Amino acid sequence: MSQSSEETKAALTDVRKAFRLLWAYNKRVFHIVQRINEQLGFTFYYTDNWIAPKSSGSDFCTRWAWDALPTVTTGWLMLRPNKKEDGTIVTRPGDQSNNPLKGEMLLHILLVSDSGFSDVYAKQKSEPDPLKFAAPESAESRLILSIYVNDVDRTEKLNWYDSIFKPNASKADFLDNFKKENLNNNIRRYSKSYLLEEFLDDEGLMSRISEFQDGAQNALKVSLGLS
């Protein structure tokens, strides 16, 4: 076998290893997201993923190669309805995702697996080229947590994603380490950015959740958690 054939075989072995490592990484990330969601008392609403494969009928080969690697950066949206002191949910008309009531909240968990990708993507519309990324050793993997609080009863036929989240979120959100903001249209937000490695063991995971919960509760004057 020629040297080039041996090199190709070795490269494909590395690809197989990379897929298996990525599987393990995704499993851990999904566990982290679920724990944050559960501990803060939210329920799944929507996945905000702007580089995910479309339907299986689309021509996959004409899309970005990054579309096959959606967890390079993904956002999960969770909703929390108003609750009584005993933890039971306040009865409300209609769908929770539409016409939010005063006090209802949205949690956004934004995964940035490679800041090299995100730094380039935030500045352009074309497919990010890995050759232009920061070196893997100097790039970061981050998790950005944000709580949005709705301060008025909504009756104007709007929903959390299209009318509240999208107008107030941007590609550059991950650049800020901490912020408490009064946004447009009676919405308040508290955000904090963490290094992903702070969440990888269970002790660190629970510590960071507790830290974020305390910070959000104090900044927004709301109650979070299982009750």
Side-chain angles (χ1 to χ4, degrees), residues 135-202:
E137 296 79 9
S138 59
E140 295 177 337
S141 299
R142 305 197 71 88
L143 203 64
I144 298 89
L145 308 181
S146 302
I147 296 282
Y148 293 74
V149 181
N150 175 55
D151 284 332
V152 295
D153 289 340
R154 310 283 175 172
T155 58
E156 59 269 38
K157 295 184 179 180
L158 57 75
N159 67 39
W160 268 111
Y161 182 73
D162 288 320
S163 304
I164 297 177
F165 174 74
K166 284 182 69 176
N168 289 302
S170 72
K171 292 182 188 178
D173 274 351
F174 66 89
L175 297 175
D176 294 314
N177 182 53
F178 164 84
K179 54 189 173 184
K180 174 195 171 185
E181 301 170 289
N182 292 314
L183 305 175
N184 295 329
N185 205 16
N186 294 295
I187 297 294
R188 291 176 292 131
R189 175 173 64 185
Y190 172 87
S191 300
K192 188 167 177 62
S193 177
Y194 297 91
L195 292 172
L196 183 58
E197 53 258 41
E198 298 179 63
F199 293 82
L200 293 181
D201 64 84
D202 287 338

